[in-house]
Amino acid sequence: MSTIPGQAIRDVITEALTSAVRALGVDGELPDLELGRAKGPDRGDYASPAGLKLAKVLKQAPPAIAARLAETISIPQGAATVQAVGGYVNFRLTPEWLQRLVGAVSTKGPGYGASSIGGGERLQVEFASINPTGPLHIGHGRGTILGDSICRLLEFTGHNVHREYYVNSDNTQTKRFGASVYARLHGLEPPEGGYIGEYVTEIAEAARRDLPGIQNLPEEQAEPKLRVYAIQRVIEMISATVARLNIHYDEWFWESKVWEDGLAPAAIERLRESGYLKERDGATWFGPALEEEDGLGEQVLSEDEDRVVIRSNGQPTYFASDLGYLLSRFEVRKFNRVIEVWGADHHGYVPRMKSAVAALGYAPEKLVVILHQMVNLKEGAAGSAGKMSKRAGRFVTLDELIDRVGSDAVRYFYLLRSPDTTIEFDLELAVTQGNENPVYYAQYAHARLVNVEATATERHPQLPEKADLSLLVQPWELEVARQLAFWPEIAQDAAKLLEPHRVPYYVQDLATAVHRFYHAGNESSEHRVVVEDVNLTRARLELCRAARHTLKTALDLMGVSAPERM
RNA sequence: GCCCCGCUAGCUCAGUGGAUAGAGCAUCUGCCUUCUAAGCAGAGGGUCAAAGGUUCGAAUCCUUUGCGGGGCACCA
């Protein structure tokens, strides 16, 4: 078929509809024709309220317009039939086209739905850059999995993605962490506000071994060394934990680097020259000083309060590091855009960062911030309800969750929810629901297909080379093909909107179609994949392959495995 | 006080301004001698938090209110 498997059929139909509208004599800008999936089976597969949309322009009744469009339109390759109903134009994918699609998808193999719409754009995605002061807990799992899945979607749609973890190493929290390790090294309790977990003591003991003489140094000299050492240990832990979830960073970028390389001072200097910095109360502040004159006022003004860059004691704030980090990303490494995944508790920081990007001379849209809501521990879980706290030792670790329910179920669990919803987490419930996690439904569909394909080639060692796909006529067979048709647009929408949760919902639909298709063979043996007729078997085998590849592709985008047997 | 997110079936949640609002789980009823029953078929279940507004058309956009969560540092 000449339709490229990567191109969404929705886009093909939209183009045809647009041409038809032009043919009716509408010039100038068109209203959005809102072609989308039709709701009921009676309405076909896609529908557009084009008649309603054009009523004003054409000064005709919507049904009349829809009828003329249906008559005029020409769908490439007979992919769909067209019907006007009221002011709507409905489209139904034809069996012939669906049959050809099955062949194309099967031939293409894994990767059906991939596209190059990203044009190779160089992107950095920074996610889950948690203070490296302890193990990841279940709250961190959300941003981690969300960030990685966004990366997978972006890669699938033709972007050049760099996964990065920003390692805080010079801020207040990590200094407290260093001081806590120092205290443990000397058999003392951590200072007020320090870290009390057992891992702190273990790290201190390891440091005694790996850093000879460290215990003889005064705290001012020992703490920075211990801090770097401890952060490295924690990063090893974090790296191992996320690896269990199939997540691998390209780079662990240390905050200290922006000072070693002079990027933070350079950024501060640039802001000072442009007049965005001012001195007050002995500190240096970032603020919208020149908003009237430089045209960036709108962006810079988006933050209406001044923020401290250098404290009155001469110590820079984390914001100073972030300024240098922005230079590293946009100027030194020249990423075209940077996507950040943050918990909603940082949402107030967004305007400040956008302002900083603008003040440094870059378009604020280059910085995209994805916020996700919190994960709260449910009452009674882990001893106490509410927000988790590393310092207070009140949390369930991500490792424990993975131990209890497995990586696939964890990823699926988080990915099912839109980032906008708060998760009330109940570990016991998560464990008991582990077995009924919808991920197994999808994986089972995949395993079944693998199994039946093996059976087919076993029973019929000499199947025809080529499949006669016109034999795929049963409604449950065509329904699988129909679901396959939707995949490219699902993947593209999820990538464009940076919304991975669209993928598991699609997977659910595809798996349902697969199970029904399979089950038809249980109802009546003539509907099995493996039948006496080798040509029929061959055609159904082709459908199995197409569905299996697509299931695997979609599961891959979620970082979930596609087992061959269950 | 200001800012952000949420409120949709018993529960957990989907739902780019379009037609009759969906899924999973739970409940109830059926279906395994056969390619995997971690499956399939069917049933019940709704004031889309509330009130106004915009629109030919609103769960969706705007305003107000209520409830829940998260922010508003010389913490990150």
Side-chain angles (χ1 to χ4, degrees):
Chain A
M1 74 200 285
S2 55
T3 305
I4 316 147
Q7 186 180 18
I9 187 62
R10 177 188 60 188
D11 298 339
V12 173
I13 295 175
T14 300
E15 281 168 30
L17 182 61
T18 304
S19 302
V21 171
R22 293 295 183 202
L24 290 194
V26 182
D27 339 297
E29 199 161 330
L30 292 185
D32 185 355
L33 299 174
E34 291 182 25
L35 182 86
R37 291 271 290 280
K39 271 186 182 155
D42 304 342
R43 298 169 188 160
D45 299 313
Y46 292 95
S48 162
L52 295 159
K53 292 287 179 190
L54 297 167
K56 260 185 199 148
V57 191
L58 287 171
K59 299 194 172 63
Q60 284 178 32
I65 298 170
R68 284 176 63 200
L69 283 172
E71 210 166 296
T72 311
I73 195 167
S74 162
I75 307 285
Q77 287 135 49
T81 54
V82 187
Q83 192 185 13
V85 179
Y88 296 86
V89 184
N90 294 344
F91 302 87
R92 188 183 299 275
L93 299 172
T94 61
E96 296 72 26
W97 185 84
L98 289 171
Q99 289 158 356
R100 289 201 300 274
L101 177 73
V102 168
V105 175
S106 174
T107 304
K108 168 107 182 163
Y112 163 57
S115 63
S116 54
I117 54 177
E121 183 185 11
R122 197 169 140 72
L123 288 175
Q124 183 196 72
V125 181
E126 185 226 315
F127 58 98
S129 299
I130 296 107
N131 269 326
T133 54
L136 298 182
H137 60 56
I138 55 171
H140 302 135
R142 188 170 198 178
T144 309
I145 291 164
L146 176 64
D148 180 65
S149 298
I150 285 174
C151 290
R152 288 167 187 258
L153 280 167
L154 289 170
E155 287 167 340
F156 193 66
T157 48
H159 301 79
N160 181 356
V161 179
H162 187 81
R163 289 171 173 78
E164 185 152 306
Y165 190 113
Y166 178 68
V167 181
N168 285 300
S169 58
D170 300 80
N171 61 26
T172 309
Q173 294 304 323
T174 51
K175 284 175 183 171
R176 277 182 189 160
F177 182 46
S180 301
V181 175
Y182 177 84
R184 290 301 192 195
L185 184 66
H186 292 278
L188 304 170
E189 287 299 307
E192 184 73 25
Y195 292 80
I196 59 174
E198 199 168 316
Y199 64 95
V200 181
T201 310
E202 287 166 11
I203 288 172
E205 289 311 314
R208 187 194 306 282
R209 192 181 61 234
D210 291 345
L211 303 175
I214 188 72
Q215 64 268 40
N216 301 324
L217 293 178
E219 177 160 8
E220 312 83 73
Q221 288 172 37
E223 186 278 323
K225 289 189 170 66
L226 284 169
R227 194 198 324 156
V228 169
Y229 177 85
I231 289 172
Q232 283 167 341
R233 293 290 82 77
V234 170
I235 283 175
E236 284 166 11
M237 290 164 48
I238 291 175
S239 176
T241 301
V242 301
R244 299 180 70 192
L245 293 169
N246 243 331
I247 296 168
H248 304 278
Y249 285 95
D250 295 304
E251 188 164 351
W252 302 76
F253 187 97
W254 283 61
E255 176 186 9
S256 50
K257 191 171 164 60
V258 303
W259 296 99
E260 288 157 11
D261 293 357
L263 290 170
I268 290 167
E269 192 48 38
R270 182 180 302 182
L271 294 187
R272 196 185 302 282
E273 280 170 10
S274 342
Y276 288 111
L277 295 186
K278 47 190 144 188
E279 307 295 327
R280 190 171 70 230
D281 305 329
T284 302
W285 303 71
F286 171 74
L290 297 180
E291 68 272 16
E292 302 303 323
E293 290 144 52
D294 65 2
L296 282 172
E298 288 296 316
Q299 289 93 7
V300 178
L301 260 179
S302 67
E303 174 85 335
D304 52 5
E305 276 182 80
D306 295 345
R307 301 294 174 176
V308 171
V309 180
I310 299 174
R311 302 182 179 95
S312 50
N313 65 5
Q315 291 296 309
T317 63
Y318 61 89
F319 185 48
S321 297
D322 278 341
L323 292 172
Y325 190 34
L326 286 174
L327 275 194
S328 164
R329 304 197 275 189
F330 289 118
E331 206 138 304
V332 177
R333 294 186 280 169
K334 298 192 182 347
F335 290 110
N336 186 54
R337 276 189 302 158
V338 167
I339 295 170
E340 310 239 21
V341 180
W342 293 349
D345 51 340
H346 289 75
H347 95 267
Y349 196 46
V350 175
R352 202 181 322 175
M353 283 294 275
K354 292 253 187 193
S355 301
V357 172
L360 287 171
Y362 293 91
E365 307 85 61
K366 298 253 173 200
L367 182 73
V368 180
V369 180
I370 303 294
L371 294 170
H372 61 81
Q373 294 300 312
M374 306 280 86
V375 179
N376 293 323
L377 269 188
K378 203 159 184 177
E379 188 89 33
S384 176
K387 204 179 171 186
M388 284 177 284
S389 164
K390 253 186 285 188
R391 269 185 285 152
R394 185 174 66 233
F395 59 91
V396 176
T397 66
L398 193 50
D399 272 313
E400 183 181 356
L401 180 63
I402 300 168
D403 289 341
R404 302 285 288 273
V405 304
S407 166
D408 287 341
V410 171
R411 284 198 69 132
Y412 212 90
F413 173 82
Y414 280 112
L415 283 174
L416 266 174
R417 283 159 178 79
S418 131
D420 288 336
T421 63
T422 305
I423 296 178
E424 292 293 330
F425 197 92
D426 182 334
L427 181 64
E428 295 315 314
L429 199 63
V431 171
T432 53
Q433 288 188 346
N435 290 332
E436 47 208 40
N437 189 303
V439 72
Y440 300 116
Y441 183 82
Q443 291 182 320
Y444 186 52
H446 182 267
R448 270 184 149 179
L449 290 170
V450 170
N451 185 67
V452 76
E453 287 173 51
T455 306
T457 48
E458 202 175 290
R459 301 257 179 95
H460 295 295
Q462 309 252 296
L463 280 172
E465 181 83 14
K466 205 172 175 324
D468 177 4
L469 295 168
S470 68
L471 298 174
L472 297 175
V473 295
Q474 301 296 346
W476 48 86
E477 293 166 347
L478 293 173
E479 174 60 20
V480 174
R482 206 173 75 94
Q483 290 298 330
L484 297 180
F486 300 143
W487 171 236
E489 72 203 39
I490 298 283
Q492 286 170 26
D493 288 351
K496 270 185 212 156
L497 299 168
L498 304 174
E499 291 181 352
H501 71 273
R502 290 164 182 268
V503 178
Y505 282 96
Y506 170 76
V507 165
Q508 173 72 31
D509 289 342
L510 177 56
T512 297
V514 167
H515 282 305
R516 281 181 185 155
F517 159 67
Y518 184 92
H519 193 264
N522 289 354
E523 295 284 322
S524 169
S525 56
E526 66 192 293
H527 295 138
R528 298 183 167 216
V529 173
V530 185
V531 288
E532 282 304 307
D533 183 337
V534 288
N535 287 311
L536 193 50
T537 301
R538 181 64 186 85
R540 288 174 179 164
L541 186 58
E542 194 81 345
L543 181 61
C544 288
R545 285 182 184 152
R548 170 168 58 85
H549 291 322
T550 306
L551 266 178
K552 169 131 176 57
T553 302
L555 289 170
D556 277 348
L557 287 181
M558 288 186 283
V560 169
S561 68
E564 307 218 328
R565 64 183 62 228
M566 288 175 74

